Each structure stands twice: as C-alpha cells, then as structure tokens.
Amino acid sequence: MNNISKEELNSRISELQQKLKKQNIDSAVIIQNADLFYFTGTVQAEYLYIPDSGEAVLLVRRGNKRAEKETALEKIVEFKRSAEIPEIIKKEDLDSPDELGLELDILPYKTANKLQQIFAADKITNITTLIRQVRMVKSDSEIQLIKRAANKLKAVPQLTKEHLTADMNELELSAIIEQDLRQKGHTGFVRMRGLNNELPLGVCTAGKKSTAEVQVDSICAGAGVHPSAGVGASKSRLKDSEPIILDYVATHQGYIADQTRMAVLGKPSAYLQKTYDKMVQLQTELSKYLTPDYSWQEIYEEGKRLAEELEVTDYYLGYGDNKEKFVGHGVGVELNEFPFLATGLDFKLKPGMTIALEPKLVVPDIGAIGIENTYLVTENQPKKLTTASEELIKV
Amino acid sequence: MNNISKEELNSRISELQQKLKKQNIDSAVIIQNADLFYFTGTVQAEYLYIPDSGEAVLLVRRGNKRAEKETALEKIVEFKRSAEIPEIIKKEDLDSPDELGLELDILPYKTANKLQQIFAADKITNITTLIRQVRMVKSDSEIQLIKRAANKLKAVPQLTKEHLTADMNELELSAIIEQDLRQKGHTGFVRMRGLNNELPLGVCTAGKKSTAEVQVDSICAGAGVHPSAGVGASKSRLKDSEPIILDYVATHQGYIADQTRMAVLGKPSAYLQKTYDKMVQLQTELSKYLTPDYSWQEIYEEGKRLAEELEVTDYYLGYGDNKEKFVGHGVGVELNEFPFLATGLDFKLKPGMTIALEPKLVVPDIGAIGIENTYLVTENQPKKLTTASEELIKV
C-alpha cells in the first residue's frame, strides 16, 4: 500500500535537502508522526535519516513489517537497539554529522539529546521552519486529498438541521457531527503541532460559552466538557436564538480541511443575522487577497481594515486582551501549517498553499460570530475547497 | 468551579516539594496539560512555579480569566510577556533556582531551553519520574472519578449487540462506541504521555488486522483508517467468526479508565472460545497479585508463568520480535501512568494505585485475543473497577 508515490517522496526529500545544504546542516533526522508521514508515507518507522544529499535511510525497529509495506522509500534498515545506529550509518557510507537538523520545536528535550548522542552530532539545529516551508506548498495529489477532506464537511448544515433540538447541549450536537466525520474516515485525532495542542475533532460552542478563553491558539475553541480538557464542546444547553459555532476539522488520508459554520435555534436576533452576514461578507472580500500578490501579513492587515469598514473592530478576532494575532493558517498534515496570516510575516503567498481563513468576532455576552473556509491559492483567483452552504443554519 | 479542592492540590504540591528537596532541586516549573491539571485543576495557565517549599505560583497569560475561576490555588499572577517573569519571581521573594526541575521527557527542546533562560536556572533536571510518583497513588476522590469513567464502559457489550451487523467495518462499529463515550462526557482526546502517542478514543480491531504492528506502546492497537494514522479501527470489514477486540478509554473529569472486551459475529470457533476463556482465567488469576505484597515486575513474571501454565506462551503479549514488555499500566490523568507491570521494575504496589491489566495474545492469522480491566489496589484484595460483562459478546 504505497499511499504516497516514490516520486513525490523523493521530491519532498530533495527539497528539504536543498534547504539543509543552504544552511550548512549536514543531515536531518525526522521522528514526529506528521513529518514522518509526509516524508515517508508511514508512521511505523522510528527515524528517517536524511543526509544533505543522496538517498534517505528509514530506520525501523525490528519486527515491524508495516513500515516496509506502507512506504515507497527503498532504503529501509532494521535495528533492534539504538546503539546499533552509528554502525548502520557507517555501513551506509554516511558521515556522522557536524550539524544535525532536528524538529526541536516539538522534540522532547531528552529525545533531542539522545538523538544528538546516537547520531554523534557536534551540534543540533532546529529545522522545523525548513520542514514547514517544504510542506506549505501542496502538490496536486495533496490538493486532491484536502478537497476530499473538505467534502466531508459539506454535511454539517444538513446534520445540524436533522439532529439539533431544543433540549440539546453543545456536546450532544458535537458528538453527532464528530461521529459522522469518524464514519467518513477521520483518523480519530487532530494533529496540531505543539505541546498541549489537544483538540477533539471539532467544536460546537454557543453563546457566552463561546467567549471562553482557551490556551490553544484558536478563536472560540469552546469551554470543553470539564476544566481538565478546557477545549471543545461543553455540556451547556443550546439556548434559543444564541449563535452556535460549528468548527470542524475533517481528515482524509492524513490531510486536513477546516471549516466553521453557524447555526441558531429559533429565530436569530436582528443583530446576529446582520453581524453574521457581515462576517460572510468580510470573508468573501478578504479571500480575494489570497493570491501570490499579497503577503501573509498583508492579508491580516486587510482583514483588520475590512473589520473597520464593517464596524466590528472591537470584537474582531476577540476582544480586550484576548485578541488572536492571526486571521488564517495553512492546513495540510497538521492543523497549524505555514502560512500564518499574521502581523510581521512579510512573505508572499504561493500557488498551492491551502489556507483556512477564519474571520470571527467574539462579542461579550452574545457569543462568537464568524465563518471559516479552507481555500487553495492558485496563480489567479483562490479556490474555495469547503463548499458547505454558508447560510446561517436555522433550526 | 473548583473542581479539585485546595486541600487536595496542596497535598499534591507538598508531596512533590518533598521529593524535590530530597534531590536538591530548588524549584519546578510545570507546563504540560495533564500535569498542570493535576497540580492546579486547570489547563488555562501557562506555568506553575513550585518552589521546594512555600506556596506555588500560577502564572497566567493576561486576559485569561478562566484559570482563576477553575483553580483552587490562591497565588495567581498575570503576565503579558515571558520577559516579565524574572521580575515576578523576585517580587514573590523567590530565588532563581540553581537547579530547575522540568518535564524533560515531553517538554520540547526549545521550550526547555527557553524556560531555563526565563527562570535563570543554572541547570535543568528531568522531574517526570517524581511527578509520576506523586500521581501514581490515587486519593479517594480520584478513585471516585476513575470509577465513574469505568462505569461509562459498561455499555460496550450492549452497544455492540445492538449495532454490530454482518456488513460493518471496524471503523463503523468503533465510531458508534466512540460517540457513546463522547456523549457521556469524554473529553474528545486521550492523554497518553509522550511524542507520537496519538490515539482515537479506542480501538475496534479484528482478525488479521488486529495483528498489525504499531509504533504506539500498546498491544493490538489497530491498523488505523490509513497509514497516516496507523492506529485505531480500520475500514476492514468485520468477518464471521473472527475475534473482535474492543479496547476503549473512557474519561471522567480528566480521569481515565481502560477496558477491553471481545466480540464475534456468528459462531466463534472452538479455538477462539477456548482461548478467550483462558485469557479471562489468566486475568482473574493474575489480578489476585495486584496487592502491596507484590512488585511491578513480579506481576509481569506471574503473568508469564500463568501464560505457560495455560499453554499460550508463544502468542502471549505478541509473537516473534513483537512482544510487548508489559502486562499492565497505571491509569489516571494519563493512559500510561506508573506503575508499569514490566520486567526490571522492583517496586512494590501501593494501595490507591489504579492499574489496567491487559493480558492479550496475538495469534498469527487469527487475531488478537484478550481482555483488560482497570483495578484498584487496596490493602487487601484488588477491586475491579471496569465491570462490563466479560462474556464473549456473540452477535
């Protein structure tokens, strides 16, 4: 089952190698699941050793035959104990690196030190930015997978209409949507890079609850079922005319699409309907800037400008001390990929980027109001991949 | 909403302080969600600073009011930028630590270095073992929460009987059980300490698929929906007379219970019924050793001895190169807590430990066969907390 073709893996690896060389990093070792999957097509291996040129070596713990079946890479070496690795590297005619690139933003301190020792590196360097740069522009086949993930989110309005009733709480509605995603092949967990980035498959959060602050770098991520979780749907009852946020992450074969829609039980207030319409308008206007002509920060700035025009500045991306510093993020094998549409990031967009744009308001005492779609950046206009109806879902 | 009482938090912190002092560690900083919840009752704070004596200080990012509402700790200090922290520490009359204790097994390399700098520590030391030691003996209130988690797993046999049909795949059945757990208040994710320990809420895996090797430290954790996930239910159809493993993790207010039951579509083979009965017997016999008279490794050794007696040694805890090295693990705020019932660990059990015992076979070409319950260690007999029927579920 070669889920990612040899050509694609080789092109990804060779792109990383070019970046390594440019920075005089002799080799890289990849171990985190999202990165490992991206560069090998499997998560069943222990280490992917990438020299700055030549073939990469996949190091697999003896007894695990799945890596070999799942990856299209050809150089696979089994080992039993880490102590064998220096010998293996030597046998493969590879030098011990002076400078070894590692995923130091997420690699545990102990693991990083152990890897430095195992691979006898003089120095270790963080290569997460390089990895994220390689990953940020998607190939045609990746775009197809993200499209298929996005298609799974099309059912959210219909599911909500079918199942939402007046005696429900956030969690009950969320569990129905989560189950639907899972039945459609969701992996059952969401990959968001970083310690403590724990998430359910998505969030249903409404009214005041949706104004809860969360540690996770996300707007209105929900109060969670309990302080131990602190994110996701809560057990609060969904009340008449409250804005209900439905923010879900679908996966297809390891690739992510991110979408938010809004629902309301009973009649929405004039304020809610008007404000939601503004946010849809803001998103539509803002999405036009998702082209190679604009930089990451310019889109963030355009968003702020549009919020001013629409007179929603006070609540835009949060209020008071709790304003989020970004209006969108790349999606791919992780939920928080490059680009981040945020201030201070002066890089142009590129065709092939897939971006979740999420202009949202957090209105005190009323709740979060907003929308989110995943877009594909092309040479010309952006293409919206999440195509669920954007109408306020009225039940 | 003070979900963990002040007395309980203080007793946990003071136990850790004693351990810090014994090892001449001047102070500890806790940041990982499971640990943070355990010592504070909230995950909405950034750092918990624990000096080796005196009151702990909870450092909260300005604007987040949830931490204050959720924790019973009293010393809460807001900050905006990490650069303010040295000043805060000084103001609280705390010295900069010579030796700072950190969760170096899971703390990213970059984060650990940053913390060393922020807190101006001469040296950083891994305190995960100390934290795990504090956490491994549960208080009465923790035991109540684990019991309540365990009770949520009681429905698995009935749910399976109601929903399992001949045209189903592993994922479809799993999604139903997962939704039931979620509706009952599951946080929506499973905390298993360590990089790459990604899991859905549980696993339905059957026949040959259940013999798939996985990187996660777990027996028969499933092939997953796709190589990108590599764990959990797959889309393989459940076939007549195949052994079906149903291994689920329930949570209640942040606390975990772990249970495995088995089902079969149609008539089980004589081999399956006989072998499953053996495993139930093995578990019953082995569980009798879960008392303070035995050490972690002795229970592992007893399990091996029982497997020999029952003539299942070849497949016990896996086969060939793929044998797991443990027969049980503690559960609490994480799925992989102390104690580990494994070779080389010569520590006695203690009353208040909650342990998932999981003797399982992996039989080539047939599948995994086994059972798992969560037990409470007491002064005398262990108490089984997961009380779902242990009969082979026949549909």
Side-chain angles (χ1 to χ4, degrees):
Chain A
M1 193 197 326
N2 293 339
N3 64 93
I4 306 176
S5 75
K6 196 164 87 180
E7 293 64 37
E8 183 135 2
L9 293 179
N10 285 340
S11 124
R12 293 174 185 182
I13 289 170
S14 114
E15 210 183 318
L16 182 63
Q17 286 175 323
Q18 284 165 37
K19 288 181 190 296
L20 293 174
K21 237 185 238 164
K22 236 186 214 166
Q23 303 216 358
N24 292 315
I25 301 169
D26 304 299
S27 52
V29 171
I30 307 283
I31 77 166
Q32 187 241 28
N33 274 355
D35 296 333
L36 204 53
F37 170 65
Y38 181 82
F39 286 109
T40 72
T42 182
V43 296
Q44 304 300 328
E46 197 94 354
Y47 310 112
L48 175 66
Y49 184 90
I50 305 182
D52 66 356
S53 63
E55 211 174 343
V57 185
L58 193 59
L59 291 150
V60 176
R61 197 67 67 159
R62 192 171 311 156
N64 191 328
K65 301 289 171 207
R66 273 175 81 182
E68 201 176 329
K69 280 178 224 156
E70 293 177 354
T71 186
L73 294 182
E74 284 173 352
K75 206 179 252 187
I76 299 170
V77 180
E78 287 199 344
F79 71 103
K80 200 168 174 183
R81 286 168 312 112
S82 301
E84 298 166 22
I85 289 178
E87 198 52 43
I88 292 169
I89 298 296
K90 220 169 161 185
K91 232 164 133 186
E92 296 294 332
D93 243 348
L94 298 163
D95 288 330
S96 266
D98 291 333
E99 191 166 343
L100 176 66
L102 296 174
E103 303 145 305
L104 295 183
D105 66 321
I106 43 94
L107 213 57
Y109 183 86
K110 274 185 71 176
T111 313
N113 286 332
K114 187 183 141 201
L115 286 174
Q116 177 167 17
Q117 204 188 356
I118 291 177
F119 290 93
D122 293 338
K123 191 185 157 191
I124 54 177
T125 301
N126 186 23
I127 56 162
T128 289
T129 299
L130 307 185
I131 292 172
R132 280 181 144 165
Q133 283 170 350
V134 174
R135 276 177 21 197
M136 73 183 175
V137 172
K138 272 71 180 176
S139 69
D140 289 346
S141 60
E142 288 181 288
I143 293 163
Q144 289 313 312
L145 298 177
I146 294 170
K147 262 188 198 167
R148 292 193 58 184
N151 285 342
K152 296 178 186 180
L153 294 164
K154 242 181 166 163
V156 170
Q158 191 53 36
L159 276 172
T160 307
K161 280 180 192 163
E162 271 170 35
H163 295 281
L164 176 57
T165 58
D167 56 354
M168 244 181 189
N169 66 34
E170 293 177 0
L171 177 60
E172 285 161 340
L173 180 57
S174 196
I176 289 166
I177 298 171
E178 292 172 35
Q179 189 201 13
D180 182 72
L181 289 171
R182 187 79 169 111
Q183 296 275 16
K184 288 173 176 158
H186 199 296
T187 47
F189 47 83
V190 173
R191 286 189 173 129
M192 182 170 177
R193 198 176 191 90
L195 183 73
N196 289 343
N197 279 335
E198 303 168 319
L199 290 176
L201 309 196
V203 182
C204 167
T205 182
K208 270 192 189 174
K209 280 278 166 183
S210 65
T211 69
E213 308 95 359
V214 288
Q215 279 287 105
V216 173
D217 212 9
S218 172
I219 304 158
C220 56
V225 287
H226 183 260
S228 58
V231 68
S234 79
K235 289 179 184 167
S236 275
R237 201 165 137 199
L238 296 167
K239 292 184 205 80
D240 239 34
S241 79
E242 261 183 1
I244 303 171
I245 287 276
L246 301 165
D247 184 353
Y248 288 89
V249 179
T251 69
H252 183 74
Q253 299 191 3
Y255 280 82
I256 282 173
D258 195 2
Q259 172 190 284
T260 303
R261 293 295 181 265
M262 291 209 67
V264 65
L265 253 172
K267 210 178 131 54
S269 68
Y271 178 81
L272 170 56
Q273 183 69 60
K274 194 184 76 186
T275 310
Y276 178 69
D277 291 345
K278 279 186 185 178
M279 297 314 289
V280 175
Q281 191 191 335
L282 195 157
Q283 162 130 134
T284 305
E285 292 297 322
L286 187 55
S287 71
K288 292 178 188 160
Y289 294 91
L290 295 174
T291 77
D293 295 331
Y294 293 91
S295 71
W296 306 7
Q297 68 179 2
E298 278 169 343
I299 297 154
Y300 175 75
E301 294 300 334
E302 284 303 327
K304 269 173 58 175
R305 189 186 55 75
L306 287 164
E308 264 172 52
E309 259 182 45
L310 292 162
E311 296 175 341
V312 293
T313 296
D314 284 355
Y315 311 135
Y316 182 65
L317 306 181
Y319 66 95
D321 282 334
N322 267 314
K323 279 193 177 288
E324 278 299 344
K325 307 281 188 302
F326 69 96
V327 70
H329 54 90
V331 296
V333 293
E334 289 180 313
L335 184 59
N336 50 350
E337 300 215 336
F338 283 177
F340 300 117
L341 305 183
T343 198
L345 300 172
D346 187 18
F347 315 106
K348 292 271 193 243
L349 291 191
K350 290 182 182 176
M353 283 181 167
T354 42
I355 299 175
L357 195 65
E358 48 178 334
K360 288 174 185 166
L361 308 178
V362 182
V363 188
D365 297 323
I366 291 184
I369 301 174
I371 184 166
E372 177 179 29
N373 282 304
T374 299
Y375 293 88
L376 169 67
V377 180
T378 73
E379 292 290 351
N380 314 301
Q381 259 107 288
K383 194 171 162 1
K384 199 192 287 177
L385 304 182
T386 40
T387 55
S389 160
E390 295 182 3
E391 255 180 66
L392 184 57
I393 306 159
K394 291 165 196 155
V395 180
Chain B
M1 193 196 330
N2 293 338
N3 64 93
I4 306 177
S5 74
K6 197 163 89 179
E7 294 64 38
E8 183 134 3
L9 293 179
N10 284 340
S11 127
R12 292 174 186 181
I13 289 171
S14 116
E15 210 184 318
L16 182 64
Q17 286 176 323
Q18 284 165 37
K19 288 181 190 293
L20 293 174
K21 237 186 236 164
K22 235 187 214 164
Q23 302 215 0
N24 292 314
I25 301 168
D26 304 299
S27 54
V29 171
I30 307 284
I31 77 167
Q32 186 241 28
N33 274 355
D35 296 333
L36 204 53
F37 170 64
Y38 182 82
F39 287 109
T40 72
T42 182
V43 297
Q44 303 301 329
E46 197 96 354
Y47 310 112
L48 175 66
Y49 184 87
I50 306 182
D52 67 356
S53 63
E55 212 175 341
V57 185
L58 193 60
L59 291 151
V60 176
R61 196 67 68 162
R62 193 171 312 158
N64 191 330
K65 301 290 170 208
R66 273 176 81 184
E68 201 176 328
K69 281 178 224 154
E70 293 177 353
T71 186
L73 293 182
E74 286 174 350
K75 205 179 252 184
I76 300 171
V77 180
E78 287 200 344
F79 70 102
K80 199 168 176 184
R81 287 167 311 111
S82 300
E84 299 166 21
I85 289 178
E87 198 52 43
I88 292 168
I89 297 297
K90 222 172 164 184
K91 232 164 133 185
E92 297 293 331
D93 242 349
L94 298 163
D95 288 330
S96 265
D98 291 334
E99 191 167 343
L100 177 67
L102 296 173
E103 303 145 305
L104 294 182
D105 66 320
I106 44 92
L107 214 56
Y109 183 86
K110 275 185 70 176
T111 312
N113 287 332
K114 188 182 140 202
L115 286 174
Q116 176 166 18
Q117 206 188 352
I118 291 177
F119 290 92
D122 293 338
K123 192 184 157 192
I124 53 177
T125 301
N126 186 23
I127 54 161
T128 290
T129 299
L130 306 186
I131 292 172
R132 280 179 145 165
Q133 283 170 349
V134 175
R135 276 177 21 197
M136 73 184 175
V137 173
K138 273 72 182 175
S139 68
D140 288 346
S141 61
E142 289 181 287
I143 292 163
Q144 289 312 313
L145 298 176
I146 295 170
K147 262 188 198 165
R148 291 194 58 183
N151 285 343
K152 296 179 185 180
L153 294 164
K154 242 178 165 165
V156 170
Q158 191 53 35
L159 275 172
T160 306
K161 279 180 191 163
E162 270 171 35
H163 295 281
L164 176 57
T165 58
D167 56 354
M168 244 181 189
N169 67 34
E170 293 176 358
L171 178 60
E172 285 161 340
L173 180 56
S174 197
I176 290 167
I177 297 170
E178 291 171 36
Q179 189 200 12
D180 181 72
L181 289 171
R182 187 78 169 113
Q183 297 274 18
K184 288 174 176 155
H186 199 295
T187 47
F189 47 83
V190 173
R191 287 190 172 129
M192 182 172 177
R193 199 177 190 89
L195 183 74
N196 289 342
N197 280 335
E198 303 167 321
L199 288 176
L201 309 196
V203 182
C204 167
T205 182
K208 271 194 189 173
K209 280 278 166 182
S210 64
T211 69
E213 308 95 358
V214 287
Q215 279 286 105
V216 173
D217 212 10
S218 171
I219 304 155
C220 56
V225 288
H226 183 259
S228 58
V231 67
S234 80
K235 289 180 183 166
S236 276
R237 203 167 133 196
L238 296 167
K239 293 184 204 78
D240 241 33
S241 78
E242 260 183 2
I244 304 171
I245 287 276
L246 302 165
D247 184 352
Y248 288 88
V249 179
T251 68
H252 183 73
Q253 298 190 3
Y255 280 82
I256 283 173
D258 195 2
Q259 172 190 283
T260 304
R261 292 296 181 264
M262 292 209 64
V264 65
L265 253 172
K267 211 178 130 54
S269 68
Y271 177 81
L272 171 56
Q273 183 68 60
K274 195 185 76 185
T275 311
Y276 177 69
D277 291 345
K278 278 185 185 179
M279 296 315 289
V280 175
Q281 190 192 336
L282 194 156
Q283 161 130 134
T284 306
E285 293 296 322
L286 187 55
S287 70
K288 292 178 187 160
Y289 294 91
L290 295 174
T291 78
D293 295 332
Y294 293 91
S295 72
W296 306 6
Q297 68 179 0
E298 279 169 344
I299 297 154
Y300 175 76
E301 294 302 331
E302 283 303 326
K304 270 172 60 174
R305 188 185 57 73
L306 286 163
E308 264 172 52
E309 258 181 48
L310 293 162
E311 295 174 342
V312 293
T313 296
D314 284 356
Y315 311 134
Y316 182 65
L317 306 181
Y319 65 95
D321 283 333
N322 266 314
K323 278 191 179 288
E324 278 299 344
K325 306 281 187 302
F326 68 96
V327 70
H329 54 90
V331 296
V333 292
E334 290 182 311
L335 184 59
N336 50 349
E337 300 215 339
F338 283 177
F340 300 117
L341 305 182
T343 196
L345 300 173
D346 188 18
F347 316 105
K348 292 272 194 243
L349 291 191
K350 289 182 182 175
M353 285 181 166
T354 44
I355 300 174
L357 196 65
E358 49 177 333
K360 288 174 186 166
L361 307 178
V362 182
V363 189
D365 298 323
I366 290 184
I369 301 173
I371 184 166
E372 176 178 30
N373 283 304
T374 299
Y375 294 89
L376 169 67
V377 180
T378 73
E379 292 290 352
N380 314 300
Q381 260 108 284
K383 194 171 162 358
K384 199 191 286 177
L385 303 182
T386 41
T387 55
S389 160
E390 294 183 3
E391 255 181 65
L392 184 57
I393 305 159
K394 291 165 196 158
V395 179

